[in-house]
Structures are given as structure tokens and as C-alpha cells.
Amino acid sequence: MNQPYLRAIIIALISFLLGSGIDALTNIETSLGLDTLFKIRGTRPPPAEAVIVAMDEVSETRFNLRQDFTLWRGFHAKLIQELHRQGAALIVFDLQFIAADPEHDPAFSEAIRQAGNVLVTDCVQKLRRGVEDFYGRSACSKNNLQPFVQLEGQQKQPLSEQLIAMRKIEPAATIKAAALDHAPFFLTDDAENAIVREGWIFLDALAEAPTLPVLTWLYYLQHSGQLHGINQPNSLFSTWLTNKRRQCLLPVKPTLTASAKEIDLQQRLDNIICLQDTRYLDFYGPPHTFRMESYSDVYDGKVSNLKDKVVFVGMSNRQFAPTKPDFFQTPYTDTHSGRMAGVEIMATQFANLLEGRFVTSPYPPALWYVLFGLWIGWLLTQFPGLLGIAASLLLGGVYAGLTVWYFKRSGAWLPVAVPLLIQLPCAWLMSLVWSRRDLLKERKRILMFVRQIFPQWIHFVATSPGQWYPEKSAKALAFERDVNGLCLATDIEGYTTVAAQHTPHEMWELLNEYYQVLSHPVTKHQGIIADVTGDAMMAVWIDGAVATQRLAACLAALEMALAVERFNDATRVGRLPTRIGLHEGAMTLGKINAGEGSHYRAIGDTVNTASRIQGVNKYLGTQILASASFAANVNNIISRPVGLFRLVGREEPLALLEIVAIKSNMSDTQIKLGQQFAKGLMAFQQGQWTAAANSFQALLDTYNTDGPSQFYLNLALAYQKNPPAYWEGIVTLGEK
């Protein structure tokens, strides 16, 4: 796999694991990410259908209640009558009427019965540890302390510390009988100092009981006629919802005459009944964001415009008082706003149901972590250093803006804390470590190159980062070094013709770009460019395992040929077709003094032979040739023998191979061509001129073109007419 892409994947994987782990331990995405999204978004208008009647400080003073919660019941009957007179759609009490009140209950119950639209709250009590640790809404827990379970015998030992149980306590019998319906509404106890972010849809621990906001929503839909065309229960909605939750049966599908609106509502009902039992609340703002009227003002008939409204009645102070019960922290609350009353949280959940909008994550957070990590990793690998950090920071800013916009638009919650506060710095750190490692690695290669090619400068090169010794003078050193290595020689075909058609400056620009393209495959595969002269370049591989060097040189040659082809397709100045020759053997790397100047290069018969081999390409119509000893057994490289040649200036014949392709890229056509060519070459080397000519001609008829086949066909036809006097199967070339 390409190294930059591998690094991007590693960055994504490590940042994902780190971010997920920290989030699992600290819940940072919820406690910081979600809360920050709420604060950045600010307030949004709640539905006008929801109104809160606040049992506030003004009303306490008006009725002289002295903060005695139990005395309020004597005023509820008239409040209901006033709300009913104004045509309120529903009246929902976020209050618990558990204990009977013989003095006020008759009038209260009668007002509830006459209104016919009053919903009341069941109390939820939770036992956490032992027999004394009850908690829940305050009135319920203080007044109902009987044990959840009974121990056998007379043992008085405490219950298990691990026992957690819940129970529902219904309103007094007369109030329950008069009410339209009743359901629990559970919030975390204030003493735990927890922030309320989720609301219960169903309390599955209480026999799949629906909560009061869900019940209110359904009764409001019924009141407003929105349930038309949807199967409705004959029983109370609380009973119907419980049965549906238990069975989670899909309702009867709408008929073809059902409207799209009815189908959409049916789908929403299915989701509410059959999916998760809690939802993240989409809060509208800090406390008192909803329309809030004082209890005493409504009681005295001073408030109008309550027709068809859902009126929530409950405790809600205008000024926050820490000693008051039933007030909770939300993502918006702070020291200035105070905490939010339970009745406003109930109204929030109802409003979310009415709008069909809760805070939801479109996809699992882990998927966002992976995608964000991949994007950041890709940027940091494509643009290393400060440029990559700037690009990733820009991407982080764009992602943060998209997250805020998406949250504001639809309540969709995309992770923001983990990607920006954990993954992004983690990716920067890994990128900087890799950059430092690459810098040291490249410096090591430069030092090796200087040591091999320019030994007189080695004492002026820093031995470690941050060091420099200009005061050191070059010591007496040997200016040459004998090595065994591999040599790659290149030459531009038709260079003289191209140069004659352009100005020297145009050729300088062309060659400057050309040699950058040519040198990249060499340095990529750990080669050393030993010399560049005119239209020729020489590269060497030394000081490595022979098999590794051979493979590296072959890969460099193949990539060089492809890079030159792309360069020629892109350039407008002139094409520079390039021939490549490969050979291995002894060389001397050293300094040659020429007057007052010095030049360092590779010298020896190996270098000359590599240059002669690249010259054979023009006869055979090939691009990459290598000596057989060099490339015969290189793993993962496909080559084909092209014959024995006596090169100019050499007595000994040399077997040559054409480097064809990487094994994984080899096509069936190339394989068949090579097999047929081998048969013709064998016939040619055995002096069977007619058979060889027929074989090469058949190959050209099948594949249209093949340089070596054309070369040997011409020779075979010539030898048919004038056979050589003495034949050893060796082709002698008369010129370079």
C-alpha cells in the first residue's frame, strides 16, 4: 500500500481508538460537545401550543402560602374552571396528588371531571441502596417509605447494596377517577447534581408505562383532529400505549387513500412506541424560554389567549432559590439563569414530540470518528509540516461550522468534542513525529551519499541535528572507493534533432524538468545519481543486499519508463524518448581532477557496459535492457531473453534480457508473445534461418508490432541469402 495512505489509515485508527476510549471514560462528547452545541446555537422559539402556569413567588405571596406546597390544592379547582372557560385543549399537572385531602378533593375532583381534559402525574419512586435510601420527586419519596421488598422471617439485615428497584405510586382514588388519564414523569433527583439531557418516553422498568409527555402529545393530537385516519384505542391512551409497547406490533398499514401526512404521523407513532425508551431533549433555551404565566394571574382571570393551548401547571420560581425542590440543571443553566423547573422540562419533551424533533445522531459516533480521522490523516500526509496542520485546522473549522449549522437546522448531533479536542491534536502529534523521522532518515541518506561520492566534504557535514563544524578542515582522505554495485544508464533518443529545433534556454528548461522526473524513481528506490552529462544520466546502487539492489534497480527502471511516457505526453516543447541499460559489476567511485576543478563519478567497465547495453535498445526497438546475470532471477520482475550480443569495444559476448513488467501487471498477451518469441530466437541461434523467419513473421502478423521480432526477422531474411561463414548464435553490433 502507498505509504501516505497507510499513514493516513494509521492516524485515523489511533485517533479513533484514543478518542473513543476517552469518551467512554469521561463522556466528553455529551458533557462538553452537546452542551457546547446548545450554547452556540442559542435559543429557538418553542411551539406556541405549550404554556406553563407557574406556581411562583408572586402567587405564593398573593395566596399567603408561605412556601407550603400542600396548601396549593385548595386553589386548583378554580384554576381548572378558568382554564376550561378559556378553552384550553389540555391541562397537565406536574404535581403529585398521592395523599387524599378531604377538605379540598371533592371540589378539585369535580372541577377535573367537568373539564374532562385534565392529566395528572403518577409518582415514580426509586430504591437504590438498603431500605432507607429512597429517591425520586420529593413528595413521593418523603411520604412513601414502605419497603419495596419484604424479608422472610424476623431478620433485620439491610437489603443488598446492589439492589435497584422502581415503583409507581398513583394519585388519590377520587382524583385518579376524575382525571382524563394519568402517567408517570421521572427526573433524576436534584441531590445528585446531574444535568438532565434525556427524557423518558417509556419506563420499561415500570411495566412499559408511557410517560406523561407522550400521553399529553397523543391526547393533543386527538383533540386537534390529527389522529383522523389512524387506528385509535377504545381504552385509555395509557393502557393502549403500554400494550403496544409490550407487543411492539406494527399497526395496520394505511390504505391507498391515506394522505402523506397521515402516513408520516403513523411512522412517527411507530418510532415512539417501538424504539428506544429515552430520547435526548432538544432544549429551547434557558429557564423561562416557554411562555410562562403566573398562577395567580391565571387564577384571577388576568390572562387571555389560552384557547386550544396545552397548559402545564407546576412549580417554577421567577428567581432561582437553591433550597427549592424540583429544579434541575440542563445544558443551558448557569449561575445567571438558575436551574430549570421540572414542569418546563415536561413542556420541552411535549414540544419535541409535537415538532417531531429530538436531538439525534444520524449515524453512530464511531463512524464520524473514523471519517474525521481519515480526512485529517490524508491532509497531513499530502501536505506535510505547517501546511498540513493549517489545512487540517481549516477542515476542523469547516466541520465545526457544519456541525453547528446541522444542529441548529434539525437537531442532528454530530460529534464535535472528540474530533476537535482529541483526534485533531493527536493527528498533529503523529504527523510531527513522522516528519521528524523522515527528516532524520533523509539526512542519513544524504550523509551516506556524501560519504560515498564526495568524501572530501564529509567533515563539514553535521554528524547530528543542530551540529556544524566549519572549523574542521578536510583531512587527507582517499578520493576513490572500489565497490561492487549496479549501474543504470539512460540516454535520450534523437536528442540532437530535438536540441537543434529549440533555443538553449528552452532546452535548459526542458532538461531541468526532465531530470527531475527521471531522478525521482532512483531516489525513491534508494539509488544514487552518480552523473548527469548532456542527455545521459548514470545511477548506481551500492552497499546493499544484491537481491534487494537488483529488484530496486528494475523497479526504478520500470517506473522511470512510465514517468518519461507521462512527461512526453504532457510537454509541449518536445518529446524525449529514453533508453535504459542495466548492468552490475565492479566500479570505482572517486574524484577526477580536471584543471582547477574536480568531479566525482562512477568509473569502470561496468559503467561503460551499462551505457553500451542501453544503446542496443535502438536496434531492438526496446526501452529497458539488462545483462542476463543482472536480471535473470529477480523476484516479481518479468523479463525475456533477447539474445547474445558482442557489444562495441567488448570481445566477450553478453546475454541480454528485456525488462518487461512487474509480475502482477503482466498480461496474457505479453506472456504468449514472449513464449512465441523464445521459439523464434532458439531457431535463429541454431542457424535455422527459414524457421526463425517464419516464426517471427507469424508473431508480427498476430501482434502487429514487436521490436526484437522485427530485428531478428530482418537478420534471418538477410542470412537466408548470405549465411555467415562461422555462426555461434552471437549478434555483433558494429556501432554504439
Side-chain angles (χ1 to χ4, degrees), residues 174-466:
T174 56
I175 296 175
K176 173 184 172 183
L180 174 64
D181 210 336
H182 59 95
F185 181 60
F186 179 73
L187 290 173
T188 307
D189 188 84
D190 184 46
E192 294 190 346
N193 201 33
I195 296 178
V196 175
R197 299 185 181 91
E198 296 179 82
W200 294 93
I201 301 295
F202 281 85
L203 288 169
D204 290 339
L206 291 176
E208 293 79 33
T211 57
L212 191 56
V214 179
L215 210 61
T216 305
W217 174 54
L218 278 180
Y219 278 112
Y220 179 76
L221 294 178
Q222 186 183 58
H223 169 83
S224 58
Q226 297 181 52
L227 292 183
H228 177 72
I230 296 177
N231 292 333
Q232 299 179 45
N234 296 322
S235 60
L236 296 175
F237 270 124
S238 57
T239 305
W240 181 75
L241 286 170
T242 296
N243 292 332
K244 285 292 185 182
R245 179 69 176 179
R246 289 173 180 173
Q247 301 170 7
C248 212
L249 297 176
L250 291 176
V252 177
K253 294 183 178 179
T255 63
L256 294 177
T257 59
S259 67
K261 183 177 181 180
E262 290 170 353
I263 294 174
D264 178 65
L265 180 57
Q266 183 72 69
Q267 184 63 49
R268 286 173 58 194
L269 281 170
D270 294 344
N271 292 339
I272 290 297
I273 294 171
C274 289
L275 297 183
Q276 63 268 31
D277 57 354
T278 63
R279 305 293 168 89
Y280 279 95
L281 300 176
D282 190 357
F283 287 95
Y284 296 88
H288 309 144
T289 300
F290 280 83
R291 177 187 171 189
M292 189 172 290
E293 304 291 349
S294 177
Y295 186 106
S296 59
D297 289 344
V298 177
Y299 183 90
D300 293 335
K302 298 178 180 179
V303 177
S304 59
N305 190 24
L306 294 176
K307 182 176 177 58
D308 293 326
K309 306 297 185 185
V310 178
V311 178
F312 295 89
V313 182
M315 298 292 299
S316 182
N317 296 327
R318 300 293 181 167
Q319 296 180 348
F320 174 62
T323 59
K324 290 278 188 177
D326 206 42
F327 286 85
F328 304 86
Q329 294 189 80
T330 71
Y332 280 108
T333 56
D334 53 35
T335 55
H336 298 288
S337 67
R339 299 182 180 182
M340 183 174 287
V343 67
E344 194 166 358
I345 296 176
M346 180 188 290
T348 298
Q349 188 170 339
F350 164 76
N352 287 174
L353 287 162
L354 193 62
E355 292 183 322
R357 168 173 167 158
F358 288 93
V359 171
T360 57
S361 181
Y363 298 98
L367 178 61
W368 292 107
Y369 299 159
V370 170
L371 291 177
F372 187 83
L374 286 173
W375 273 108
I376 293 299
W378 182 82
L379 284 175
L380 292 173
T381 52
Q382 294 298 314
F383 307 100
L386 293 178
L387 182 60
I389 292 177
S392 62
L393 188 60
L394 177 62
L395 175 64
V398 172
Y399 175 77
L402 174 65
T403 300
V404 173
W405 172 82
Y406 203 19
F407 185 76
K408 183 176 182 178
R409 178 175 177 269
S410 62
W413 175 20
L414 304 184
V416 63
V418 168
L420 298 183
L421 300 182
I422 299 174
Q423 288 187 277
L424 193 57
C426 174
W428 287 345
L429 179 61
M430 286 190 287
S431 175
L432 292 174
V433 169
W434 258 319
S435 297
R436 177 67 172 173
R437 178 176 174 272
D438 290 342
L439 181 63
L440 294 176
K441 185 177 179 181
E442 182 64 21
R443 187 182 175 283
K444 183 179 179 181
R445 290 190 66 249
I446 293 173
L447 283 174
M448 183 181 297
F449 174 78
V450 173
R451 186 177 291 109
Q452 294 169 353
I453 309 302
F454 305 110
Q456 81 275 23
W457 297 111
I458 192 63
H459 285 282
F460 292 98
V461 179
T463 58
S464 62

Side-chain angles (χ1 to χ4, degrees), residues 47-67:
E49 292 85 348
V51 178
I52 296 173
V53 173
M55 299 161 62
D56 55 9
E57 303 94 330
V58 174
S59 301
E60 286 179 356
T61 303
R62 160 75 171 79
F63 299 130
N64 194 27
L65 295 176
R66 301 180 304 278
Q67 299 186 1

Side-chain angles (χ1 to χ4, degrees), residues 68-106:
D68 189 340
F69 184 78
T70 61
L71 298 179
W72 283 92
R73 196 180 298 190
F75 299 91
H76 293 334
K78 185 178 177 182
L79 178 75
I80 292 174
Q81 292 168 358
E82 175 62 24
L83 293 172
H84 181 58
R85 184 187 65 80
Q86 291 203 37
L90 290 171
I91 304 169
V92 185
F93 279 94
D94 182 35
L95 301 168
Q96 285 128 17
F97 306 111
I98 300 168
D101 185 349
E103 181 181 354
H104 300 111
D105 281 358

Side-chain angles (χ1 to χ4, degrees), residues 512-525 527 529 532 537 539 556 560 563:
N512 187 54
E513 186 176 353
Y514 166 77
Y515 279 120
Q516 290 184 41
V517 170
L518 211 62
S519 63
H520 180 69
V522 174
T523 56
K524 175 183 175 182
H525 293 285
I529 298 174
V532 175
M537 186 184 80
M560 189 181 293

